[in-house]
């Protein structure tokens, strides 16, 4: 690595106070201070209200929280359209685009649906049609469901985070059989798992994310910057791959 720090864009951040863990107040001010502390330039941000309480209300609140914050881009939480909380599938996707949302997140285990099931299919079709990437943690679904979803929606870009420990065999099988699944760095805790994945599948299948504030952002930063990867690989994982998934030019750090 050279002395210059690579640009880091965090794909995995939440605002808001967590009801069961002491991870701070979850304010924009706290988030920006934490980003500055560990050297993160920008972040794709969701709302804990959307995750743990009411996705529709949390998604709307998020836009207000991020107004005037050029370093922070909104990520909405999706629901199946079966109960109508978020309107129609097409309406949800169109509203996300109009609001400047850059990605959609799913919590199928906690919100009570199957990621690859018929209930979520219409919303995922709509999200795919507007070219928004889908973020999901490994603990919220199964790798079989991720693979089935990737196969059924070949244009849907899927980033699986929170992969934890001892998942490399499952990850490898899915990455080998799909082209549209990437792995997030938050809690990628297998020893030298980052280097192994980059060596086997290329750095282009890995996306920087910290899981903040639920996880300490320094963990993912250290994992990437102190890795044995080449500078170009670190740059791609740190920002370039997410820029490509979001199909936009990131602002300078």
């Amino acid at each position: 690595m050279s002395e210059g720090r690579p640009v880091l864009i965090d794909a995995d951040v939440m605002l808001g106070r967590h009801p069961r863990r002491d991870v701070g107040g979850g304010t924009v001010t706290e988030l920006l201070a934490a980003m500055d502390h560990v050297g993160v330039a920008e972040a794709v941000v969701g709302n804990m209200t959307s995750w743990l309480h009411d996705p529709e209300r949390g998604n709307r609140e998020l836009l207000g929280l991020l107004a005037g914050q050029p370093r922070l881009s909104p990520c909405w939480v999706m629901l199946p359209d079966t109960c109508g909380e978020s309107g129609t599938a097409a309406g949800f996707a169109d509203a996300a685009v109009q609001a400047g949302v850059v990605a959609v997140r799913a919590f199928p285990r906690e919100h009570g649906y199957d990621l690859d099931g018929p209930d979520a299919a219409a919303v995922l079709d709509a999200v795919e049609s507007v070219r928004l990437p889908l973020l999901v943690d490994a603990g919220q679904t199964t790798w079989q469901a991720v693979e089935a979803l990737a196969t059924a929606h070949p244009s849907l870009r899927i980033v699986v985070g929170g992969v934890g420990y001892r998942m490399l065999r499952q990850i490898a099988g899915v990455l080998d059989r799909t082209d549209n699944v990437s792995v997030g760095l938050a809690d990628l805790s297998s020893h030298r798992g980052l280097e192994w994945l980059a060596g086997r599948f290329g750095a282009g299948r890995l996306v920087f994310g910290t899981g903040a504030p639920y996880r300490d952002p320094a963990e993912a930063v250290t994992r990437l910057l102190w890795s044995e990867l080449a500078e170009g690989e670190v740059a791609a994982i740190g920002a370039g791959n997410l820029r490509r998934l979001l199909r936009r030019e990131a602002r300078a750090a």
Side-chain angles (χ1 to χ4, degrees):
M1 295 292 299
S2 66
E3 293 182 1
R5 285 282 299 268
V7 175
L8 299 178
I9 305 176
D10 193 340
D12 190 351
V13 173
M14 284 279 177
L15 283 176
R17 184 182 293 277
H18 195 282
R20 297 184 296 275
R21 294 190 63 172
D22 184 11
V23 293
T27 66
V28 169
T29 299
E30 288 174 316
L31 171 58
L32 291 173
M35 290 167 60
D36 290 339
H37 182 66
V38 297
V40 172
E42 301 178 43
V44 174
V45 183
N47 189 352
M48 285 202 193
T49 299
S50 301
W51 168 23
L52 297 172
H53 301 289
D54 179 352
E56 172 63 14
R57 178 167 64 89
N59 290 343
R60 286 187 278 105
E61 288 179 353
L62 180 65
L63 301 179
L65 292 170
L66 300 188
Q69 299 292 339
R71 296 171 63 188
L72 308 178
S73 299
C75 174
W76 275 3
V77 171
M78 60 159 276
L79 287 173
D81 63 351
T82 48
C83 293
E85 300 108 311
S86 301
T88 66
F92 170 80
D94 290 343
V97 172
Q98 290 297 318
V101 171
V102 300
V104 170
R105 189 159 194 143
F107 294 96
R109 180 175 63 82
E110 293 183 348
H111 292 166
Y113 64 91
D114 294 325
L115 188 64
D116 61 334
D119 291 340
V123 174
L124 291 166
D125 282 339
V127 169
E128 181 182 21
S129 73
V130 296
R131 304 175 75 82
L132 292 177
L134 175 72
L135 313 180
V136 62
D137 280 352
Q140 291 288 325
T141 185
T142 66
W143 286 101
Q144 293 92 334
V146 170
E147 183 173 353
L149 181 65
T151 302
H153 299 268
S155 297
L156 180 65
R157 294 147 291 155
I158 305 166
V159 180
V160 183
V163 296
Y165 182 53
R166 291 182 175 175
M167 278 196 182
L168 289 183
R169 288 189 180 88
Q170 297 174 73
I171 294 170
V174 172
L175 293 187
D176 191 48
R177 294 186 293 269
T178 65
D179 296 319
N180 53 331
V181 177
S182 300
V183 176
L185 260 63
D187 197 25
L188 179 59
S189 50
S190 296
H191 176 59
R192 300 191 76 246
L194 172 61
E195 289 88 344
W196 185 85
L197 286 168
R200 185 172 178 87
F201 300 102
R205 303 295 291 273
L206 297 156
V207 174
F208 177 73
T210 67
Y214 195 78
R215 302 194 67 83
D216 185 338
E219 175 190 352
V221 172
T222 302
R223 181 175 296 117
L224 178 62
L225 299 189
W226 286 75
S227 71
E228 298 182 14
L229 300 178
E231 288 187 21
E233 295 174 306
V234 171
I237 297 168
N241 297 336
L242 184 59
R243 289 172 176 166
R244 173 173 48 82
L245 290 175
L246 301 181
R247 286 178 167 80
R248 66 173 177 82
E249 291 295 325
R251 294 171 287 275

